[in-house]
Amino acid sequence: MARNIKQILTCHSWLSTYLAELPLVHLSTVEPLNRTQIRELEKSFVGLFSGNNLNRKYFHALQSHRTDVPCSHFLASLLIDEATRVVLYWDPLHAVVTTWRTFIKNWKSICDSAIGDLFIVPEDQTWLLFYDHESNYVFGKRRTRKRA
């Protein structure tokens, strides 16, 4: 993430649509994903949903929260380390990596800018936070695979 933020915004003008309200100190933690990285991420999402909910086959400890009430307490209750690197995925062309701290400090402007749904997932994909276009959060922890 050593690139100059002005270079990033010049190369990825779409960021100003999604992240326009972020303070520079937080914007400097944002790194856009390339199309290959986004395609790989999308493959990992296949089957994770059952309708508009996280599929219980893959997730446990499901929690939900409406964003028409303050979300800061809900996000803090998830007990995620602020240094955790997370991917914010809007659609097949738009995704970035940043820190959980950047997300929780700016959740309102990030989610308000989302035209559709937003996926927030750590790089190790041990959990998923889904923000849907109806202003709901759904959080789930990935089930661990049983070894034979």
Side-chain angles (χ1 to χ4, degrees):
M1 289 198 211
R3 290 172 48 196
N4 180 308
I5 195 62
K6 288 183 181 179
Q7 287 177 311
I8 292 172
L9 290 175
T10 301
C11 295
H12 303 278
S13 59
W14 62 268
L15 279 175
S16 60
T17 302
Y18 290 100
L19 305 173
E21 310 245 339
L22 266 65
L24 188 57
V25 67
H26 292 151
L27 196 55
S28 66
T29 69
V30 173
E31 180 71 25
L33 296 182
N34 64 43
R35 295 218 173 126
T36 302
Q37 292 169 311
I38 293 172
R39 277 193 296 274
E40 288 301 311
L41 181 66
E42 287 176 320
K43 288 178 190 176
S44 72
F45 290 157
V46 173
L48 297 185
F49 287 86
S50 176
N52 280 345
N53 293 312
L54 295 179
N55 188 334
R56 290 186 181 274
K57 178 179 176 182
Y58 300 106
F59 293 95
H60 67 96
L62 296 177
Q63 300 176 48
S64 60
H65 185 82
R66 289 203 45 83
T67 59
D68 56 358
V69 295
C71 294
S72 298
H73 293 299
F74 168 70
L75 295 172
S77 76
L78 300 176
L79 302 176
I80 297 166
D81 185 308
E82 288 188 350
T84 300
R85 291 174 45 86
V86 295
V87 175
L88 307 180
Y89 170 92
W90 287 273
D91 61 50
L93 299 176
H94 305 107
V96 299
V97 175
T98 190
T99 63
W100 179 249
R101 177 180 173 76
T102 294
F103 178 73
I104 62 172
K105 295 288 183 187
N106 300 284
W107 66 267
K108 185 157 178 40
S109 63
I110 291 170
C111 292
D112 285 351
S113 71
I115 295 167
D117 300 335
L118 173 65
F119 298 81
I120 303 97
V121 61
E123 290 180 316
D124 66 6
Q125 297 191 16
T126 53
W127 52 264
L128 187 139
L129 178 61
F130 176 64
Y131 171 80
D132 72 28
H133 60 279
E134 295 177 5
S135 299
N136 297 301
Y137 279 119
V138 178
F139 175 83
K141 292 183 180 179
R142 289 293 296 258
R143 294 186 183 278
T144 55
R145 294 187 177 132
K146 295 180 181 173
R147 297 183 184 201

